Amino acid sequence: MGDGGKLTAIAWEKAVRQLRGSRLASAPKNNTGGIVMKGSSRLVAMTLAAMVSFCGFACGQTSVADFYRGKTVRILIGFGPGGSSSFYGEILARYMGRHLPGNPTVITQHMPGAGGLTVANYVNSRSPRDGTEFAITSRNAVFEPLLGNRNANFDALKFNWVGNANIENSICISWHTAPVKQANDLLTTEYIGGGTGSDSLEVSIPKVLNQILGAKMKVITGYPSSVDILLAMEKGEVQGFCGIGWTYIKLRKAEWLATKKINILFQMALAKHADLPDVPLAQDLAKTPQDRALIDFLLAPQDMGRPFFAPPEVPGERVAALREAFSKTLKDPDFLREADKAGVEVQFTSGEDVQKLLERIHASPRELVERAMAVLR
């Protein structure tokens, strides 16, 4: 609501004062001097209450618009340019400003490091608490405090979750020249993959499979983004990538699939993608129900594939504005057309539902969490 909304709110407040003065002055009094509300007086009281309620809403909306008008909102991206997280953040930035009250300018800034922990730590400790900055990071990074990672200096439950842009089906792949061609080969043949940080999905799942299956998976970390890992695979620096999104490969590396440049070893998700019915899940490799439960726990974050979050302590009305603008942007036809052209899948999850998912995972049995910590140590 702009200046027109502000004027309307002022006019309604004036009307409230006038009605209150005229009606209350002429209202009958009881023997203690209190006002007796009868007939039209009750109607006036109900009208006043409704008007005050409307004014509160209108003034709140105007306040948010006034705050954002002329400002710059920054989306921090926890990885280097060119990867999936970068695509989501950059496309969101191009359209979200039209849906935020006051129509601020929205820009992106890359902040790679530690598999997404760098940006999460920054948002927790240094981002302004006013709604002008929010971020996207690795879905796994936000669970590192739960798993006892001392480098994760934040509480994910205290972030203000803006929303999620997709449900992720990651895959473990090997280059066509690598000796590992299928999942069972991992038990007998060394596999050398690439990774971003030591706490990323492409590191944690191989580590778990090594521990519970005796797999022979090694991961070289330090690559800034998924694009860098894929390039390293092409150059022969590594043999594969155990954590790239299926949609990314399908839409942006279709030539690899057509010419059989890669082998898809297994999927990393809670359920198989409809495109890959014959490719096993990582859970399918487990030998016991306990091992399967462990992998399920570690892959639960896949349901929040591209999570966007704001710092703690942002005023509630601005969190609500960010969430509503995020929701509207992900349904904006222009945004959807560009996302489709860029090869990114869009599956909206509200900030409130992301919060519920986090709470559910944090409520997992302590023995399961402790086993995950021991395996990943």
Side-chain angles (χ1 to χ4, degrees):
M1 187 178 298
D3 293 338
K6 186 184 296 185
L7 292 174
T8 301
I10 293 171
W12 277 50
E13 287 180 355
K14 184 177 180 181
V16 168
R17 289 195 297 272
Q18 291 175 342
L19 277 169
R20 183 184 290 120
S22 62
R23 290 293 184 178
L24 298 187
S26 60
K29 309 292 192 297
N30 59 27
N31 54 12
T32 64
I35 296 172
V36 178
M37 291 290 185
K38 292 184 178 180
S40 63
S41 295
R42 283 199 183 94
L43 179 60
V44 169
M46 293 171 64
T47 302
L48 288 172
M51 291 167 70
V52 169
S53 176
F54 172 85
C55 179
F57 172 78
C59 292
Q61 291 294 302
T62 301
S63 173
V64 173
D66 285 345
F67 172 78
Y68 278 116
R69 188 174 293 109
K71 285 191 169 60
T72 296
V73 174
R74 192 184 313 273
I75 302 175
L76 304 175
I77 300 171
F79 298 93
S84 297
S85 294
S86 184
F87 285 132
Y88 280 99
E90 288 165 4
I91 299 172
L92 183 71
R94 284 195 275 278
Y95 297 97
M96 191 166 171
R98 67 171 67 167
H99 299 293
L100 266 171
N103 305 123
T105 299
V106 182
I107 64 173
T108 61
Q109 178 182 337
H110 291 87
M111 191 177 288
L117 283 182
T118 297
V119 73
N121 286 334
Y122 174 89
V123 169
N124 182 65
S125 62
R126 297 178 60 187
S127 273
R129 264 64 170 155
D130 61 359
T132 58
E133 203 165 77
F134 66 101
I136 177 173
T137 189
S138 160
R139 52 200 166 275
N140 291 86
V142 300
F143 292 99
E144 288 304 312
L146 175 64
L147 296 172
N149 187 337
R150 295 182 180 179
N151 295 319
N153 302 312
F154 56 87
D155 181 346
L157 294 177
K158 292 183 179 179
F159 284 141
N160 285 294
W161 293 91
V162 176
N164 172 48
N166 90 315
I167 295 171
E168 188 71 5
N169 275 69
S170 298
I171 54 175
C172 186
I173 62 175
S174 66
W175 195 240
H176 65 101
T177 57
V180 172
K181 307 293 184 185
Q182 56 185 0
N184 286 339
D185 293 340
L186 295 168
L187 303 178
T188 58
T189 307
E190 185 179 58
Y191 168 95
I192 303 174
T196 51
S198 59
D199 306 304
S200 57
L201 179 68
E202 62 268 19
V203 175
S204 62
I205 293 302
K207 189 179 290 186
V208 168
L209 296 182
N210 288 346
Q211 289 277 345
I212 68 176
L213 296 178
K216 301 179 183 299
M217 304 180 74
K218 178 181 178 181
V219 182
I220 298 173
T221 60
Y223 292 99
S225 72
S226 57
V227 172
D228 298 287
I229 299 172
L230 294 174
L231 183 59
M233 186 175 66
E234 285 188 280
K235 290 179 175 179
E237 294 176 14
V238 296
Q239 298 171 348
F241 186 1
C242 209
I244 184 67
W246 162 244
T247 303
Y248 181 95
I249 292 294
K250 179 177 69 172
L251 298 177
R252 302 189 68 82
K253 298 292 184 181
E255 181 267 337
W256 286 3
L257 297 172
T259 58
K260 301 186 185 304
K261 288 286 182 66
I262 58 171
N263 308 295
I264 304 176
L265 308 180
F266 58 84
Q267 302 181 59
M268 292 179 283
L270 296 181
K272 289 183 178 182
H273 196 286
D275 295 341
L276 304 170
D278 299 324
V279 177
L281 292 168
Q283 297 91 313
D284 296 335
L285 307 178
K287 297 176 181 178
T288 69
Q290 293 79 11
D291 289 348
R292 188 179 185 95
L294 174 63
I295 298 174
D296 273 336
F297 169 74
L298 293 171
L299 291 178
Q302 294 292 86
D303 276 359
M304 46 182 282
R306 305 294 168 191
F308 289 83
F309 60 101
E313 302 167 7
V314 175
E317 67 274 12
R318 294 178 200 163
V319 173
L322 288 170
R323 287 175 170 173
E324 183 177 3
F326 183 84
S327 172
K328 288 181 177 178
T329 304
L330 264 65
K331 299 168 188 173
D332 185 319
D334 294 333
F335 170 88
L336 291 171
R337 274 192 292 271
E338 185 166 348
D340 183 62
K341 189 182 301 183
V344 297
E345 222 171 29
V346 177
Q347 296 143 331
F348 167 72
T349 306
S350 71
E352 293 87 345
D353 284 342
V354 172
Q355 182 74 28
K356 290 175 185 175
L357 173 62
L358 284 161
E359 291 171 354
R360 177 172 64 80
I361 296 174
H362 278 73
S364 297
R366 189 62 205 168
E367 58 270 22
L368 180 59
V369 177
E370 288 177 352
R371 187 179 180 212
M373 292 170 62
V375 169
L376 293 174
R377 190 169 295 129

